Amino acid sequence: MKKTKILLIYTGGTIGMMKDYKSGALKAFNFAKLLKNIPELNQLDCEIQSHSFETPIDSSNINTEHWVAIATTIEETYHEYDGFVVLHGSDTMSYSASALSYMLENLSKPVIFTGSQLPIGDLRTDAKENLITSIQIAALREKDKAVIQEVGLYFEYKLYRGNRTTKINAEHFEAFASLNYPALAESGVHLKVHYEYLLKPNKLKKLVVHKNLDTNVAILKLFPGFNENLLKSVLSTPNLKALIIETYGAGNAPTDQWLIDHLKNAKKNGVQVINVTQCSGGSVIMGQYETSEHLQQMQVINGKDITTEAAITKLMYLLGMDVSPKLFKTIFETPLRGEMI
Ligand code: ASP
């Protein structure tokens, strides 16, 4: 029997960091050296190979070029491996997992993002469990097919759909939540897969990798006191093509005339405006309150229950695909990779 082959893609993050003795700060480190310190990996019933970013990074430095690098590595080795585990800093992991979910269309193999809150060399590290279980999840097969056929994020005993996650804690081992979609799998004494929640891609379709991402996008979070100058300044950003408004509750916003006028004008100038709630759970329901009726009337795009991370990366992806402005609203409001209802 052929052994399942897994590729570990190391991009950086705390998992592989070491303390700089002079400053005491954590810095990215050569992962190949660290891998040698995890003898447990030899006990796994799969063949593991690794590929590291030339310069591992703290994930706060991630940008679309890194996403293209991850996607290209997967594209180039797609037929060689049965699954992929991406080691990544937790700070922006939800953005990267969301971006990759769009970039890898018709994915039929697991791509599991993981990382840790403490470096792998730390006595109390969470890195070993996260890494080992992620590899086991990526290696799960039934009837000669991968069980997980989507981009997931594994952290602290739970596998989530990557584009449904948000980093909710900078300190707890349970750093991520997926409030609008249940866990895909849970790890306890047994690894329990919730088959009913998995994406089931069309197996006849081939992997298509999209590498064009347009970053002419912005996010504007509402707060009481939010004023006209701020809105004007964001909307006058050169080349701005889409703006996410992080609204209150179920998609509500102030009803001031200046806000309506500026948004209407932006839309007239071709800027896509999207309503995404700043709550971590729940959905935008435009029209439920009077304070969202004005947004509905001006045909603002409904972000429904999408996370901000999945929304901003969906915008980069759709704008990069040159989706026609007429179809943009309909396509954005359609779930492409299970990122929204
Ligand atoms: N700052 C780190 C990073 O995101 C934190 C982590 O790895 O969890 O790269």
Side-chain angles (χ1 to χ4, degrees), residues 134-148:
S134 294
I135 295 173
Q136 285 184 323
I137 288 173
L140 282 179
R141 294 183 73 75
E142 265 168 31
K143 296 192 187 135
D144 209 26
K145 269 198 326 228
V147 171
I148 311 295

Side-chain angles (χ1 to χ4, degrees), residues 151-182:
V151 177
L153 185 155
Y154 182 81
F155 227 86
E156 191 65 2
Y157 305 112
K158 290 212 174 86
L159 174 74
Y160 299 114
R161 174 163 301 151
N163 59 29
R164 288 291 197 158
T165 61
T166 305
K167 183 168 180 182
I168 47 144
N169 203 299
E171 183 176 0
H172 292 171
F173 286 150
E174 198 174 339
F176 290 89
S178 165
L179 291 174
N180 285 337
Y181 201 76

Side-chain angles (χ1 to χ4, degrees), residues 13-14 58-59 89-91 116-117:
T14 301
D58 184 298
S59 77
S90 61
D91 288 350
S116 65
Q117 293 282 52

Side-chain angles (χ1 to χ4, degrees), residues 297-314:
Q297 271 157 18
M298 64 175 110
Q299 290 275 305
V300 162
I301 297 175
N302 189 343
K304 302 182 195 173
D305 66 343
I306 200 167
T307 61
T308 301
E309 293 88 332
I312 195 79
T313 47
K314 189 172 186 175

Side-chain angles (χ1 to χ4, degrees), residues 9-274:
I9 303 173
Y10 175 57
T11 68
T14 301
I15 193 161
M17 286 186 181
M18 291 203 99
K19 258 210 175 112
D20 178 311
Y21 285 110
K22 274 196 198 137
S23 66
L26 287 170
K27 277 186 13 190
F29 192 69
N30 177 335
F31 193 68
K33 281 196 189 144
L34 286 173
L35 268 186
K36 293 205 181 96
N37 296 323
I38 322 171
E40 290 92 335
L41 292 182
N42 298 323
Q43 290 175 35
L44 293 172
D45 191 25
C46 52
E47 194 181 322
I48 302 161
Q49 283 173 4
S50 68
H51 169 88
S52 176
F53 269 18
E54 214 164 290
T55 316
I57 54 164
D58 184 298
S59 77
S60 302
N61 279 320
I62 209 110
N63 60 41
T64 54
E65 282 161 33
H66 298 108
W67 293 340
V68 171
I70 299 171
T72 306
T73 303
I74 294 173
E75 181 181 34
E76 287 172 352
T77 58
Y78 195 65
H79 294 289
E80 238 178 282
Y81 295 95
D82 301 296
F84 302 85
V85 173
V86 183
L87 298 168
H88 191 291
S90 61
D91 288 350
T92 58
M93 197 186 288
S94 294
Y95 291 91
S96 297
S98 299
L100 266 292
S101 76
Y102 304 120
M103 294 167 82
L104 304 171
E105 189 178 357
N106 305 326
L107 186 68
S108 61
K109 296 185 179 184
V111 173
I112 312 296
F113 277 75
T114 195
S116 65
Q117 293 282 52
L118 284 175
I120 208 151
D122 196 288
L123 258 189
R124 294 176 47 254
T125 191
D126 52 331
K128 284 193 181 179
E129 201 285 319
N130 286 349
L131 174 58
I132 289 168
T133 309
S134 294
I135 295 173
Q136 285 184 323
I137 288 173
L140 282 179
R141 294 183 73 75
E142 265 168 31
K143 296 192 187 135
D144 209 26
K145 269 198 326 228
V147 171
I148 311 295
Q149 307 189 5
E150 58 181 292
V151 177
L153 185 155
Y154 182 81
F155 227 86
E156 191 65 2
Y157 305 112
K158 290 212 174 86
L159 174 74
Y160 299 114
R161 174 163 301 151
N163 59 29
R164 288 291 197 158
T165 61
T166 305
K167 183 168 180 182
I168 47 144
N169 203 299
E171 183 176 0
H172 292 171
F173 286 150
E174 198 174 339
F176 290 89
S178 165
L179 291 174
N180 285 337
Y181 201 76
L184 304 180
E186 279 166 89
S187 156
V189 174
H190 303 288
L191 199 55
K192 197 164 184 294
V193 178
H194 301 296
Y195 289 86
E196 65 276 32
Y197 300 131
L198 301 178
L199 270 190
K200 291 167 195 77
N202 181 338
K203 31 181 201 306
L204 298 176
K205 291 195 174 165
K206 278 208 172 140
L207 177 77
V208 182
V209 183
H210 302 274
K211 299 184 189 174
N212 234 353
L213 298 167
D214 191 328
T215 56
N216 289 304
V217 293
I219 301 173
L220 191 55
K221 183 173 181 154
L222 294 182
F223 56 91
F226 163 88
N227 72 42
E228 185 174 2
N229 286 337
L230 177 57
L231 181 62
K232 259 169 50 188
S233 131
V234 173
L235 288 175
S236 62
T237 307
N239 296 327
L240 185 72
K241 294 187 187 151
L243 172 70
I244 290 176
I245 308 205
E246 267 203 2
T247 53
Y248 305 124
N252 306 318
T255 49
D256 300 276
Q257 195 56 44
W258 56 261
L259 184 103
I260 299 175
D261 292 343
H262 285 302
L263 290 185
K264 271 193 179 158
N265 200 36
K267 281 176 64 32
K268 216 169 64 209
N269 293 332
V271 177
Q272 303 290 346
V273 181
I274 301 91

Side-chain angles (χ1 to χ4, degrees), residues 288-301:
Q288 186 181 21
Y289 289 89
E290 202 179 26
T291 44
S292 65
E293 272 182 337
H294 53 319
L295 302 179
Q296 191 175 34
Q297 271 157 18
M298 64 175 110
Q299 290 275 305
V300 162
I301 297 175

